[in-house]
């Protein structure tokens, strides 16, 4: 019997989960054993998992889980240097040279475990099987607008928090928007992240320029970006990705005052945004990279957690068909993910 162990999230401001009660019910009906850790901050209450027939375990007890259990989480594990002996499904952020990712891979190598990175779970055609992209785009556009609103009001950007629904976030922004709307440019507008960003902006009647691969095929430079007040980067950085915002943009003549790097990969050599070098946080969402004229960057790396219930339900529904294939963990989507891990630690 394959054993799936859903761990609690130990990162601050993380209320999402990769399996919801309906999915647990389906897995148990298919003969899987499902254990869910208690988590007081999780957006999905534990009662639903109890009703589904899951075994309930204390928060953080995955460390002592049976060795054959597959541990499902989302965000980072604690940086405690612990050798990792289990198979983990999670976002590792470890395959593009990120310093924290290299430490994580070393922990797996030391313990003999394995990483099945959620970012690299792909179907036979190379498409990701599950992503939080839409809600990352929606929330990222919202935070970028909040940064712009703070700028025009001459106020400090306030911390951001969790919303019970996307409608509540939209209603708040509608009440704050002035008559004069900023112009916004989205790169990656045809993908899931860009679609989420566009939907939020369109609902607020904000004029949006939508770019995708065709518009960036020339490799740059892209002066049009500087002619928009807000720029949203919605593409995953890869080798060969053009530079969208060079270091020189800080002092260039521009209307641009807010960059929302929703893809959020500043410590990768492939990052297309060269004016900043670290992520921002919920407590400090904006990083001022130039003062006159003002240029702020917002780059929060767990944006969908602003809308944890909706984003969890969406992501879990996408992931469930692959979880149902865990008995064949050396094949298909899981086999491809394992091959990438083996290549990374070789």
């Amino acid at each position: 019997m394959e054993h799936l162990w859903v761990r609690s999230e130990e990162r601050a401001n993380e209320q999402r989960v990769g399996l919801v009660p309906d999915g647990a019910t389906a897995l148990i009906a298919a003969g899987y054993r499902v254990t869910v850790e208690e988590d007081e901050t999780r957006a999905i209450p534990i009662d639903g998992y109890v009703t589904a027939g899951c075994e309930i375990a204390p928060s953080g007890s995955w460390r002592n889980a049976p060795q054959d259990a597959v541990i499902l989480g989302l965000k980072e594990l604690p940086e405690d240097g612990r050798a990792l002996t289990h198979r983990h499904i999670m976002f590792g952020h470890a395959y593009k040279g990120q310093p924290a990712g290299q430490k994580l891979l070393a922990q797996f190598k030391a313990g003999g475990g394995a990483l099945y990175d959620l970012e690299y779970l792909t179907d036979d055609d190379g498409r990701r099987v599950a992503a939080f992209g839409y809600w990352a785009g929606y929330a990222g556009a919202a935070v970028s607008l909040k940064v712009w609103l703070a700028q025009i009001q001459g106020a400090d950007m306030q911390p951001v928090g969790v919303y019970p629904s996307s409608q509540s976030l939209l209603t708040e922004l509608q009440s704050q928007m002035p008559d004069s709307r900023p112009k916004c440019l989205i790169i990656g507008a045809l993908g899931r992240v860009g679609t989420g960003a566009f939907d939020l902006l369109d609902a607020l009647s904000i004029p949006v320029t939508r770019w995708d691969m065709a518009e960036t095929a020339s490799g740059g430079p892209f002066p049009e970006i500087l002619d928009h007040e807000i720029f949203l980067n919605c593409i995953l950085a890869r080798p060969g990705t053009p530079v969208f915002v060079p270091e020189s943009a800080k002092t260039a003549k521009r209307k641009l005052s807010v960059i929302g790097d929703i893809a959020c990969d500043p410590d990768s050599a492939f990052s297309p945004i060269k004016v900043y070098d670290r992520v921002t946080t919920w407590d400090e969402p904006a990083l001022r990279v130039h003062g006159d004229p003002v240029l702020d960057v917002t780059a929060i790396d767990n944006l969908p957690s602003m809308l944890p219930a909706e984003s969890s339900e969406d992501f879990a529904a996408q992931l469930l068909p692959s979880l149902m294939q865990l008995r064949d963990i050396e094949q298909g989507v899981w086999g491809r993910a394992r091959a990438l891990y083996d290549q990374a630690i070789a």
Side-chain angles (χ1 to χ4, degrees):
M1 179 183 294
E2 194 66 49
H3 187 181
L4 182 67
W5 187 291
V6 181
R7 64 174 169 87
S8 59
E9 296 293 329
E10 299 181 40
R11 175 175 173 166
N13 301 315
E14 185 53 78
Q15 299 184 17
R16 293 174 295 168
V17 65
L19 180 72
V20 297
D22 285 349
T25 298
L27 285 168
I28 292 169
Y32 287 85
R33 179 183 176 188
V34 180
T35 298
V36 178
E37 290 185 5
E38 296 170 328
D39 187 343
E40 292 182 356
T41 65
R42 187 183 291 135
I44 309 298
I46 197 69
D47 293 353
Y49 297 100
V50 174
T51 301
C54 301
E55 301 171 39
I56 306 302
S59 176
S61 57
W62 63 266
R63 294 165 174 83
N64 301 312
Q67 203 55 51
D68 64 350
V70 179
I71 313 299
L72 172 62
L74 293 178
K75 298 301 287 184
E76 301 92 332
L77 298 170
E79 294 184 12
D80 55 11
R82 173 188 296 266
L84 297 172
T85 61
H86 292 90
R87 295 167 293 176
H88 282 257
I89 303 169
M90 59 178 284
F91 288 103
H93 304 296
Y95 294 164
K96 292 187 285 186
Q98 300 97 323
Q102 297 307 297
K103 294 177 183 177
L104 179 68
L105 290 177
Q107 290 175 257
F108 275 112
K109 190 171 184 178
L115 169 65
Y116 295 82
D117 197 310
L118 287 164
E119 188 176 332
Y120 295 91
L121 297 186
T122 58
D123 62 17
D124 292 339
D125 297 322
R127 294 179 178 274
R128 288 181 63 179
V129 300
F132 281 101
Y134 180 87
W135 296 107
Y138 197 97
V143 175
S144 298
L145 277 176
K146 286 176 174 288
V147 175
W148 179 80
L149 286 166
Q151 287 179 353
I152 64 171
Q153 293 164 2
D156 293 332
M157 176 63 188
Q158 297 301 304
V160 296
V162 172
Y163 289 81
S165 69
S166 54
Q167 184 58 52
S168 64
L169 173 57
L170 178 61
T171 299
E172 178 186 280
L173 287 168
Q174 286 171 331
S175 70
Q176 297 172 347
M177 290 301 298
D179 292 337
S180 179
R181 298 318 206 230
K183 290 194 304 178
C184 182
L185 187 147
I186 300 173
I187 292 184
L190 300 184
R192 283 181 280 203
V193 180
T195 300
F198 174 78
D199 284 353
L200 183 281
L201 296 171
D202 187 56
L204 293 167
S205 301
I206 291 173
V208 181
T209 301
R210 306 173 77 181
W211 281 13
D212 211 86
M213 293 179 66
E215 291 80 5
T216 58
S218 68
F222 304 105
E224 296 92 340
I225 294 173
L226 303 184
D227 289 332
H228 293 73
E229 284 81 7
I230 299 174
F231 165 55
L232 302 179
N233 174 44
C234 297
I235 69 157
L236 182 67
R238 294 185 174 90
T241 298
V243 173
F244 300 143
V245 184
E247 173 75 16
S248 59
K250 292 180 180 179
T251 55
K253 182 178 179 181
R254 55 179 163 79
K255 295 179 181 177
L256 181 68
S257 65
V258 178
I259 297 171
D261 191 6
I262 300 173
C264 195
D265 206 4
D267 56 355
S268 167
F270 312 129
S271 174
I273 313 297
K274 300 301 186 185
V275 296
Y276 83 116
D277 61 1
R278 63 185 185 275
V279 298
T280 61
T281 67
W282 289 48
D283 288 337
E284 298 182 358
L287 174 66
R288 181 146 297 176
V289 297
H290 199 263
D292 187 18
V294 167
L295 182 59
D296 289 332
V297 177
T298 180
I300 298 173
D301 63 0
N302 63 335
L303 282 163
S305 274
M306 290 179 64
L307 300 164
E310 285 167 289
S311 63
S312 291
E313 293 280 359
D314 183 16
F315 183 83
Q318 297 174 53
L319 183 62
L320 182 60
S322 297
L323 292 178
M324 296 288 281
Q325 299 170 19
L326 274 174
R327 287 196 184 91
D328 301 315
I329 198 168
E330 301 306 324
Q331 307 297 323
V333 61
W334 303 110
R336 285 186 287 272
R338 177 59 188 256
L340 285 172
Y341 166 74
D342 290 340
Q343 179 181 340
I345 64 166

